[in-house]
Amino acid sequence: FKQKTAYEIRNCDWSSDVCSSDLFFDGVSVYTDSNWGDAHDVATVMDSGPHVVAVHAWDLYGMPSALMALVEIDGAAYSLTGDPEWIYTRTSPDVTWADVGFDDSAWTNPDVCTGGWWGSLPADLAATGAAWVWEGDCTGTGEAWFRVDLDLP
């Protein structure tokens, strides 16, 4: 008997109206977003065991980029961007980058963004303690790949 665990993620890639992000559960693309400043709820049910939540985020049009995400399990916060479990790379990984078991040992923690660009938008997501993350002083553009490993009971 495997216990089913309700699993919900809320993500937002905030940078400009031309930014985009793709959300993956265990290597499968489940949502694409191109609206900055909005939080989106995406839910699925997963078995207990290892899983991966991954986000490919990009903004190639000259505006600062950042990602904010919350993973909730059964309605309780489980993982927030800004937590050390979230890692990223700015180097394009191979096609298995969002899969369970991918070797992400060379990936590092993103930097927490502070200052004027992001502030506390979207307010409901920021109120959870999730942080805007990217690289350095978070004023750059480009692409980034983020992931967090989950081990569900």
Side-chain angles (χ1 to χ4, degrees), residues 91-145:
T91 304
S92 180
D94 72 42
V95 296
T96 64
W97 73 276
D99 293 346
V100 173
F102 173 77
D103 180 9
D104 57 15
S105 60
W107 293 32
T108 60
N109 296 109
D111 296 307
V112 173
C113 304
T114 59
W117 277 104
W118 301 277
S120 59
L121 294 174
D124 61 333
L125 192 51
T128 68
W132 289 112
V133 295
W134 200 257
E135 177 179 59
D137 62 1
C138 300
T139 59
T141 61
E143 293 181 83
W145 292 262

Side-chain angles (χ1 to χ4, degrees), residues 6-28:
Y7 167 71
E8 176 186 46
I9 185 171
R10 300 174 65 186
N11 93 343
C12 181
D13 173 24
W14 191 102
S15 52
S16 75
D17 61 350
V18 293
C19 72
S20 295
S21 61
D22 291 325
L23 173 66
F24 298 82
F25 292 148
D26 294 341
V28 177

Side-chain angles (χ1 to χ4, degrees), residues 10-83:
R10 300 174 65 186
N11 93 343
C12 181
D13 173 24
W14 191 102
S15 52
S16 75
D17 61 350
V18 293
C19 72
S20 295
S21 61
D22 291 325
L23 173 66
F24 298 82
F25 292 148
D26 294 341
V28 177
S29 178
V30 295
Y31 190 78
T32 298
D33 178 34
S34 61
N35 295 313
W36 64 269
D38 294 332
H40 303 283
D41 292 341
V42 179
T44 190
V45 175
M46 293 182 171
D47 290 333
S48 60
H51 298 280
V52 172
V53 174
V55 179
H56 174 209
W58 66 93
D59 187 350
L60 306 175
Y61 300 100
M63 297 298 293
S65 302
L67 170 78
M68 180 186 282
L70 161 68
V71 176
E72 291 179 336
I73 296 177
D74 292 337
Y78 188 82
S79 181
L80 308 161
T81 46
D83 288 349

